[in-house]
Each structure stands twice: as structure tokens, then as C-alpha cells.
Amino acid sequence: MGLTISQKIIKEHLISGTMTPGSEISIRIDQTLTQDSTGTMAYLQFEAIGVPQVKTKLSVAYIDHNTIQSGFENADDHKYIQTVTKKHGIRFSRPGNGVCHQVHIERFGIPGQTLLGSDSHTPTCGGIGMLAIGAGGLDVAVAMGGGPYFLPMPKMLRVNLTGRLAPWASAKDIILLVLQILTVKGGVGKIVEYSGDGLRYLTVPERATITNMGAELGATTSIFPSDSVTKDFLLAQGREDAWIPLSADEDAVYDEQIEIDLSALKPMIAKPHMPDNVVRVTEVAGTPVDQVCIGSCTNSSLMDMLKVAAILKGKTVHPDVSLVIAPGSKQVFTMLSDCGALTDMIGAGARILECACGPCIGMGQSPRTDAVSLRTNNRNFYARSGTASASVYLVSPEVAAVSAIAGVITDPIEWGAPPEIHMPPAFTLNDNLVVLPAENPDDVTVVRGPNIKPFPINTALPTEVRGKTLVKLGDNITTDHIMPSNAKLLPYRSNVPYLADYCLTPSDPDFPRKAKENGGGIIVGGSNYGQGSSREHAALAPLQLGVKAVITVSFARIHMANLINNGILPLTFLDPSDYDKIDPMDELSIPNAPEQIRSAALGAPVLIHNLTKDTSFQTSCPISERQAKILLSGGLLNFTREGA
Ligand code: MIC
Ligand code: SF4
């Protein structure tokens, strides 16, 4: 039987397990990436593991999220990351070099290799045929130390693209359509592979937009073949040596398949507050717009920026609109400047931001109260912009640019002919903002600022897990609900005790108080709980508050792994109607917890008593035997220290 692209890469990197969907496998990791908002924690954990030098082929630490230095906290964390990476063999991409995913695909990604990143959009490098997976910081720390990465073997989903994009339709519209079809939980437990004769018209930056936003499907990752388009891109980046051909076998078997005719695709838009709330732009055309943000790791490539500049050239941004543009990398910024496109943007009235995540993670540019904000980002989760009352819509750079001029949401199809942009034969190369690790690690002193506080470490699983239902949440609770991140909170990513006071506050402002007053407790949630980011803080903050278990209808992949790594029990209702039978503040008890968790790994249900209602219900804990041991030890760090 033939293999898919990702099955081929997994087979080559397989350390343990069999490639049967759902069963636990472990793979060798070639490269890792971290960014600063998850990186401080990842490097603290790497230090705790105690491996002197990274054992990967390449590890890079980016500074791109926390770049508003409104106090000493960000700068201190940057210094910590710069020194800790220098000591342990990791390259350091300085602030100003760009957004991690954009820089990594330009300068470091390699087709056929594996990449583990402490950021959910790590799959961006799937655009060049790399198996690139987002994970929690601790999993990345273990991979840097040479340890395997464990994951359930994913199912294979093929998206077959035929034809060629019609004028004004873009890669963003492809992934928005896929999100409309599959929803934000449609990719859980799957790898999405792209194929078909439509591929030959899609450039690497366009492919990267699609694999990047595949994170919003909940997919393990997304991947394109490595073909002549990939080769041309790597050649233009001066990295032709990195190219290998890679495609699925003719007789590869997929568990699911979707067909998309690119020529029929029209500009799409995701309405508030979910990336799968997708309609045609025409359905909301005419809505007045207050803010337009162009950038983020989804749409900040040179191609995207050149399109925007061509649309803005000679025009003026509508007086009621604030337009901000953040190019994705120093390379993009430099080339925009050299060719005069930057002048066209500035001339039209765009406010140019540094090449970083910026507004995408609420680091500045929070819109006004009740604003309509049009963004080229990948996520429009509730309150993520920093303004809870704002309505954030997700669009392509083309829709964003024409709407910024018109002042209302506009379908560009009515705008005339689209600009014709071609990939450059050569990109401008200058890696002078990537600092190499020290030749003599002993000479490097790691600098730790006062913002770095010890992070909570769980204790071994007690015989009885008992606690009150602190909160009962609905479906699709995101990590932005669990551990909000914005300009006020992001600077505290190395200070979990501080962050814990904001845990789950977008859903229940009293959650931290209730947790503290009750000595911790249990969270109850609906389906797809913990979707979105890889931030471990969404497990660490509940741990800090004494949360012992989370019972839901279903979990998102990375968050569930983060809960396990921190020794918090992830349980799912065996009968989803039991969700309706729990009320907030009901006291729950899991008797014989260690025994029940051990048996859960073999498929047995976990029995829970509702002491308040004097009833019982069954849950499942969908874990492997290895994960059961981690839970018994009270988390991965304890498990590793115990020498397992
Ligand atoms: C995001 O887009 O939500 C983030 C901020 O990049 C996160 C990482 C984080 O929370 O630091 C992600 O995607 O994993
Ligand atoms: Fe940064 Fe936004 Fe991309 Fe996350 S999604 S890495 S915050 S640009």
C-alpha cells in the first residue's frame, strides 16, 4: 500500500509505536522553534531537564510576540532567552527579524524533516513539505534535549485542489472555505494533505497561508508536497541544497477527501468570533469598518505585502479607518523598502508596524469600543484583540486593502482588475539578526530578571481526586478564554502566579477567586475545549489555582497534551448528556484515582461521583499507558526526574 506525504516522513522518523490511526507513536525531531511568549517557560523547563547542549539538528528561538516594552518585563525575558539560548546551542532570532513562522519558512525549514514548535502555527512550514507540529513548551524542551515527541498517529485527510484561482480569490479564501466545510474541530486527530493539479499555481507563501491557518481546524498539521514550486522558492532563498522531492504515492490511502475547484472560489470572510464562521464577503459587504490590520504569520509574506501596496498606490485610506501594516520579516520589510512599495503604503496613510505579531495577539492596536476590525490574521476569538466589544473579521490582504480605502467591507471583485504580482527570482538575504550560540558555553552567564517566577509543579496523583465544579463552560472554549493574552498580560508569561489571577476571566470573572476560596477544584467544559494556541499557561494557570481535573465533551489536541504534561486529569463524558446533569459548585469525587487512571489507559471508563447530587457518571480518559504514568507522577517533569 502506498504512503501519504506525512506517512513517509513519520515512517522515517518513527522511534516507537505502529502507524495505526489513534495509537501512540513517537518520532524524532530534527528542528525546534520557540517564540518569546512560550519560550521563557520552554527554556526554564529545558534547564530543569538538565541537558547541556541541544541535540536537534537546528533549534531557533524567536522574539516576535512580546515586543511592546511598556515595562522591564519583556526586555528582561528577551535577555533571558538570548543568554540561555547562547549557552545551550540554540540560534537566537532578535526582535526585528520577524515573525517566527515567516522567518522559519524563509530561512530554515527543510522539506522531509520534522519541526516541533512551541506555537500552534508551526505547521506553516508544511508549505514546503516539512512535517511541522505545534506543541506545548515542555514537549519542545524535551525534543531539544533529544527526547522523542509523542503523539497519537493521525488520520489522513486529503484536500484535492483543481483549477486555478479566479481573479481576487486568494489562498486565504481556500483555507476559509476549508474551515467552513470542516469547522474548528474538523481537523482534530488528522493531518491535512493538499494535492491536485491546482497546486502548480500556488506559490510557497500561498501554501504557507493555508498550512498556517490549518491550525484553526484543530489538525495535527497540514502539508503540501515538495515540488518544483518548492524548489524555486528555496533557490530564491539561496537554499536550493535543502530541497528534496516529496509527494504522496499514487496509491496512498486517505481516510477522508475534500474536492475544491479553485476557479469557482470567491473572496470569503470569517465573522466574529470564530475562524469557521465563514461566509462570502458579499454577505457582509457595506458594513462600516473602523480598523484594518494587515500582517500576522498568515498573511505577511512579500507577495501579500506587494499586493496590498499595489492596491493602496495613489489612494488614501478612508478617514474613518485606521490601517496598520506589519510586514512578516526583516526580509519582507527590506524588499518592500527597496522596491518602493513601502512608500506606496505610507503614501496612502498606512501606519507601519515593526515586523512582529502585534495586533494579532492584542499587543497594541486594540480597536475602539464596539469597533469593526478587519484583519488578515488567523484567529478572531472573543476579546483576543484586547477590546471585548469589538467585532473582528478575518479576510485576505486583498479584501483588507480595498476595504481600508472604501471604509466599508468590500468585495474586491467590484474593484476592477487585481494587481499582478510575481514571485521574485531572488530574495534579499541578510541573516545578521540571527545570533549564533556560543563556542564556549561555560563563558555564558544566563541573565534572569525579577519577572521570572518559579512555575507550579504538580504532585503525584492522590488516591481520591475531589473538588467543586468551579465553572461550567460551553463549546469551543479557546486558550484565549482560559489564559487571555494581551498587551497587559503577555509581559507576564514567565510569572504564572500573576497570570493565574486572570485565568478564565473572559468566561467567568470570578473564576480565580472561586478557585482560591475552594482550594482548587474541577472545570467542566463542552466540546473542543482548549482550542487555539499551544500556550502551556492555559494548563499552568489552572494548576497554580489548584485545578485537579477538567471534564469535557471533547478536547483540542495541544491543550489536552499540556494538561497531561502538568498532571491535570483530562476526562471526557462517556455519555455527553451527563454534562447537563452537573451544576456549578457540585462537589465531585474520583475515587481510587491512580487505579482508575491506570485502567483508563487500557480503555476502562473512569467513574466519578457527584457528591452533591448523590449520583455517578462515567468518563473516559483517552490516554496511552505512558501518559497514565505521567498523570500518576503529577506531570512530565516529575515523570522525567523519576528517571522514567
Ligand atoms: C497565538 O496565535 O495564539 C499565539 C500567541 O501565537 C500562541 C502562542 C502563545 O500563546 O504564546 C499559539 O498560537 O500557540
Ligand atoms: Fe503571532 Fe498571531 Fe501568528 Fe500567533 S497567530 S504566531 S500571535 S502572528
Side-chain angles (χ1 to χ4, degrees):
M1 194 176 71
L3 296 178
T4 69
I5 310 167
S6 25
Q7 284 169 344
K8 286 184 185 180
I9 303 178
I10 291 172
K11 193 172 168 209
E12 253 199 33
H13 291 80
L14 195 66
I15 294 177
S16 67
T18 49
M19 289 168 55
T20 317
S23 75
E24 189 176 70
I25 56 166
S26 71
I27 56 171
R28 186 168 38 81
I29 294 300
D30 297 315
Q31 298 190 351
T32 62
L33 72 75
T34 58
Q35 38 86 340
D36 47 332
S37 64
T38 54
T40 39
M41 203 52 69
Y43 294 112
L44 288 169
Q45 290 158 336
F46 178 76
E47 287 186 298
I49 293 171
V51 176
Q53 290 292 298
V54 285
K55 295 190 175 156
T56 46
K57 289 183 179 152
L58 176 91
S59 287
V60 189
Y62 293 90
I63 304 289
D64 53 1
H65 282 61
N66 270 313
T67 56
I68 301 184
Q69 288 155 226
S70 52
F72 63 90
E73 292 86 0
N74 288 169
D76 278 5
D77 283 356
H78 297 176
K79 193 68 184 170
Y80 166 67
I81 295 176
Q82 177 156 13
T83 50
V84 79
T85 52
K86 193 162 188 157
K87 195 173 185 70
H88 296 291
I90 300 144
R91 292 188 204 199
F92 178 73
S93 171
R94 298 179 59 186
N97 200 40
V99 181
C100 53
H101 310 302
Q102 178 64 29
V103 178
H104 209 83
I105 199 167
E106 286 170 356
R107 307 303 306 143
F108 299 115
I110 296 184
Q113 290 203 0
T114 53
L115 167 68
L116 196 69
S118 64
D119 191 281
S120 65
H121 292 103
T122 302
T124 311
C125 277
I128 53 168
M130 192 170 199
L131 193 80
I133 302 177
L138 187 48
D139 282 329
V140 176
V142 169
M144 287 192 284
Y149 174 61
F150 290 87
L151 73 162
M153 179 64 200
K155 288 186 176 168
M156 300 290 140
L157 188 160
R158 172 153 63 183
V159 179
N160 198 45
L161 304 174
T162 52
R164 191 174 189 160
L165 284 171
W168 291 113
S170 73
K172 184 62 158 275
D173 303 313
I174 301 176
I175 188 62
L176 286 175
L177 178 67
V178 175
L179 271 154
Q180 187 190 53
I181 298 169
L182 289 174
T183 80
V184 288
K185 51 187 178 201
V188 177
K190 301 172 193 168
I191 291 182
V192 185
E193 291 201 1
Y194 290 84
S195 68
D197 64 17
L199 290 191
R200 74 190 122 130
Y201 305 115
L202 291 178
T203 61
V204 164
E206 290 174 306
R207 295 173 181 195
T209 293
I210 295 168
T211 52
N212 171 285
M213 210 170 160
E216 274 50 69
L217 299 164
T220 304
T221 189
S222 303
I223 193 164
F224 278 77
S226 172
D227 56 13
S228 61
V229 175
T230 324
K231 191 177 185 179
D232 290 346
F233 175 80
L234 290 171
L235 184 71
Q237 289 286 353
R239 303 202 293 122
E240 60 274 33
D241 292 352
W243 186 76
I244 53 154
L246 187 62
S247 58
D249 290 330
E250 287 282 312
D251 56 345
V253 179
Y254 289 86
D255 300 284
E256 269 172 73
Q257 174 141 334
I258 294 174
E259 297 287 337
I260 294 181
D261 174 6
L262 296 181
S263 62
L265 197 62
K266 300 274 193 288
M268 313 287 277
I269 187 165
K271 298 195 293 181
H273 296 286
M274 265 308 140
D276 63 357
N277 194 8
V278 173
V279 297
R280 278 273 291 110
V281 169
T282 43
E283 281 190 36
V284 284
T287 308
V289 175
D290 301 279
Q291 182 191 50
V292 174
C293 301
I294 300 178
S296 89
C297 56
T298 319
N299 280 117
S300 59
S301 67
L302 181 68
M303 299 284 289
D304 286 330
M305 292 290 147
L306 289 176
K307 281 187 214 163
V308 169
I311 293 168
L312 293 179
K313 189 179 169 91
K315 306 270 194 328
T316 300
V317 173
H318 190 277
D320 294 333
V321 176
S322 165
L323 169 66
V324 293
I325 300 180
S329 68
K330 173 163 163 279
Q331 182 183 79
V332 173
F333 219 155
T334 307
M335 292 180 76
L336 285 177
S337 159
D338 286 349
C339 74
L342 191 59
T343 309
D344 296 332
M345 292 173 165
I346 297 169
R351 302 162 64 184
I352 309 297
L353 304 179
E354 65 176 317
C355 40
C357 300
C360 176
I361 187 57
M363 288 303 274
Q365 303 301 327
S366 294
R368 72 164 175 85
T369 305
D370 297 335
V372 167
S373 176
L374 227 56
R375 299 178 170 215
T376 64
N377 310 348
N378 42 44
R379 295 187 168 149
N380 56 348
F381 299 148
Y382 173 70
R384 184 175 158 97
S385 66
T387 305
S389 69
S391 296
V392 177
Y393 294 75
L394 306 176
V395 292
S396 67
E398 293 89 326
V399 174
V402 297
S403 303
I405 298 166
V408 293
I409 297 178
T410 302
D411 185 353
I413 290 180
E414 286 149 27
W415 197 258
E420 265 205 39
I421 306 296
H422 299 287
M423 284 291 282
F427 290 93
T428 302
L429 308 180
N430 182 356
D431 294 326
N432 63 347
L433 288 189
V434 179
V435 181
L436 296 179
E439 280 180 14
N440 298 315
D442 291 344
D443 296 347
V444 182
T445 307
V446 178
V447 181
R448 290 164 222 277
N451 191 38
I452 298 182
K453 296 280 184 282
F455 56 90
I457 299 183
N458 216 333
T459 49
L461 189 66
T463 313
E464 185 197 15
V465 171
R466 188 172 179 154
K468 291 211 169 115
T469 307
L470 298 171
V471 68
K472 189 176 169 188
L473 302 155
D475 292 341
N476 290 328
I477 291 296
T478 72
T479 50
D480 279 293
H481 290 96
I482 306 169
M483 194 56 262
S485 279
N486 53 40
K488 295 191 186 86
L489 293 180
L490 212 58
Y492 294 95
R493 281 297 184 91
S494 44
N495 186 345
V496 177
Y498 181 91
L499 284 183
D501 283 338
Y502 298 86
C503 181
L504 269 168
T505 48
S507 301
D508 177 358
D510 278 343
F511 179 81
R513 182 187 57 76
K514 283 191 281 185
K516 283 180 184 169
E517 280 176 9
N518 290 286
I522 291 171
I523 294 172
V524 171
S527 70
N528 203 24
Y529 179 84
Q531 71 156 319
S533 110
S534 67
R535 69 188 67 141
E536 263 174 325
H537 305 76
L540 286 165
L543 176 61
Q544 177 78 36
L545 294 172
V547 170
K548 302 173 176 85
V550 184
I551 312 172
T552 69
V553 176
S554 68
F555 286 97
R557 177 185 68 89
I558 308 179
H559 184 59
M560 180 167 146
N562 286 338
L563 288 176
I564 296 170
N565 283 350
N566 286 289
I568 298 177
L569 301 180
L571 302 162
T572 55
F573 293 101
L574 221 49
D575 176 356
S577 71
D578 283 330
Y579 168 90
D580 301 322
K581 297 177 193 149
I582 300 183
D583 287 311
M585 286 302 150
D586 279 359
E587 182 147 25
L588 307 180
S589 158
I590 307 171
N592 306 323
E595 208 179 301
Q596 290 216 68
I597 290 302
R598 249 182 248 118
S599 328
L602 305 171
V606 176
L607 183 75
I608 302 184
H609 297 310
N610 186 330
L611 302 175
T612 309
K613 299 213 159 53
D614 198 16
T615 53
S616 299
F617 62 96
Q618 289 188 330
T619 58
S620 93
C621 189
I623 49 169
S624 66
E625 287 180 56
R626 184 192 62 93
Q627 287 173 318
K629 288 184 194 152
I630 294 175
L631 286 171
L632 289 169
S633 304
L636 183 56
L637 270 183
N638 293 337
F639 178 68
T640 312
R641 281 182 187 151
E642 284 160 14

